[in-house]
Amino acid sequence: GQIIITYTVSNDTCPESTSIEPTGAQILCQGDASSLLTATITNTTGGSGTPTHLYQWYYNSDANPTNTIASATLIAGATSSTYTPLTTASEIGTRYYFCVGYATDNNCAQTNADQTLASTNIIQVTVNATPSVPTGTPSQTFCAIDNPTVASLSATGTSIQWYSASTGGAALLSTVALADGTHYYASQTVSGCESDTRFDVTVTVDDPAAPTGSASQTFCSGDSPTVANLVATRKIQPSK
């Protein structure tokens, strides 16, 4: 006798690969808005049917800059074709994002853990922390005769900038003259990120009045007079 076996080879269209745009690295400060990432799935060709595209986003840490699913963190809820990386304190550091595009229908039976479907390009997103407030002496005194300017102010930090307000405004030029009794505010910038809290310095510019005394003073040459013999009286200024 003869046994005839008939079988059908399914050639259904299924996701084959995933890519992400834009491809460039993002270097951000904590709290900045990141650029939207968009995943695009490429299907197999020559098949039949139309699969429903599904997505799952992951990231690996700086220690493993790859698209390896086994070492990656699955981002809960990140299941659409787009994802916007977060930039909160929890994301400080560098992460490498990738996406798995897959389908469960149209006889594809794929999962979000299929390594062959992970995007071949990974996107680096680095979030730098907001620097702390600079430190220093909160009350700083200068002499008017020295013509003190913003450059005369002192604060400890990196890339110090001075402002006339505690928030907002443009940084002051180093040549701006200091005004007595005025507050100046210092920020610092680290890794391209500026502190959001500023160090408050109150400035005193002393301009003492000229002393008083006799404009004509007489001495005997036998006493060998010196400058120490001259007499002048300090004029007391009212307190500020």
Side-chain angles (χ1 to χ4, degrees):
Q2 187 178 32
I3 298 175
I4 299 175
I5 300 176
T6 302
Y7 62 92
T8 301
V9 176
S10 175
N11 187 25
D12 298 306
T13 299
C14 293
E16 183 177 43
S17 63
T18 311
S19 61
I20 302 174
E21 293 286 346
T23 59
Q26 299 184 40
I27 311 297
L28 305 164
C29 297
Q30 181 182 342
D32 283 353
S34 64
S35 295
L36 181 75
L37 302 179
T38 300
T40 300
I41 295 174
T42 299
N43 291 328
T44 55
T45 59
S48 61
T50 302
T52 301
H53 289 168
L54 303 174
Y55 303 85
Q56 180 60 62
W57 290 86
Y58 295 83
Y59 70 84
N60 268 310
S61 68
D62 199 25
N64 185 27
T66 70
N67 68 343
T68 303
I69 295 174
S71 62
T73 298
L74 181 149
I75 305 173
T79 55
S80 71
S81 62
T82 60
Y83 179 70
T84 303
L86 302 178
T87 61
T88 69
S90 299
E91 285 74 40
I92 290 173
T94 299
R95 293 180 174 183
Y96 296 87
Y97 292 88
F98 63 96
C99 184
V100 173
Y102 65 105
T104 57
D105 60 359
N106 205 44
N107 292 317
C108 295
Q110 297 169 333
T111 73
N112 62 11
D114 190 334
Q115 183 63 55
T116 64
L117 298 175
S119 58
T120 53
N121 63 320
I122 54 176
I123 309 301
Q124 175 189 336
V125 177
T126 298
V127 178
N128 293 312
T130 300
S132 59
V133 62
T135 58
T137 303
S139 297
Q140 300 184 25
T141 301
F142 305 91
C143 294
I145 197 172
D146 295 328
N147 298 314
T149 64
V150 166
S152 308
L153 295 167
S154 176
T156 300
T158 302
S159 299
I160 297 294
Q161 295 189 97
W162 292 95
Y163 295 83
S164 60
S166 59
T167 59
L172 297 171
L173 295 175
S174 61
T175 54
V176 171
L178 298 182
D180 182 53
T182 300
H183 289 259
Y184 296 89
Y185 303 87
S187 72
Q188 68 168 324
T189 299
V190 180
S191 298
C193 301
E194 189 174 10
S195 58
D196 52 13
T197 303
R198 297 172 182 172
F199 175 58
D200 183 0
V201 170
T202 303
V203 164
T204 299
V205 180
D206 279 338
D207 188 11
T212 60
S214 176
S216 178
Q217 300 184 27
T218 303
F219 304 93
C220 295
S221 60
D223 294 332
S224 300
T226 66
V227 170
N229 297 107
L230 293 170
V231 176
T233 301
R234 179 171 66 93
K235 185 176 182 180
I236 305 298
Q237 292 179 296
S239 60
K240 297 178 180 179

